[in-house]
Amino acid sequence: MLVSTTLTGSNADIIGDALASVVAQVDCCLVVDTGAKDDTLAVARSVAGDKLVVRELAWRDDFAAARNFALDAATE
């Protein structure tokens, strides 16, 4: 299984393009939500559809922790 991982906060303006660039090539689009307060997840859902998997992680000002969380989640 091929999984893309995307870390996001409030990024409704760019997540659609990011996911659109990979959705046809992957089996799953994993989005790690670090606290989106806009329509980021709705946009992601509209682009990725059934391929979208969302995991939540509170942002702790630690990119490495968020990246590692995403990598662990991608193996599930």
Side-chain angles (χ1 to χ4, degrees), residues 3-68:
V3 179
S4 71
T5 60
T6 305
L7 304 175
T8 191
S10 295
N11 297 117
D13 57 334
I14 60 173
I15 196 163
D17 288 340
L19 292 176
S21 73
V22 298
V23 70
Q25 289 83 32
V26 300
D27 299 305
C28 174
C29 293
L30 172 64
V31 171
V32 176
D33 175 16
T34 62
K37 302 203 184 319
D38 62 4
D39 292 330
T40 296
L41 296 180
V43 173
R45 195 166 287 108
S46 72
V47 173
D50 292 341
K51 291 184 178 184
L52 180 67
V53 174
V54 177
R55 296 290 184 262
E56 294 181 4
L57 176 70
W59 182 248
R60 297 182 302 241
D61 203 23
D62 185 348
F63 177 81
R67 179 204 57 221
N68 292 340

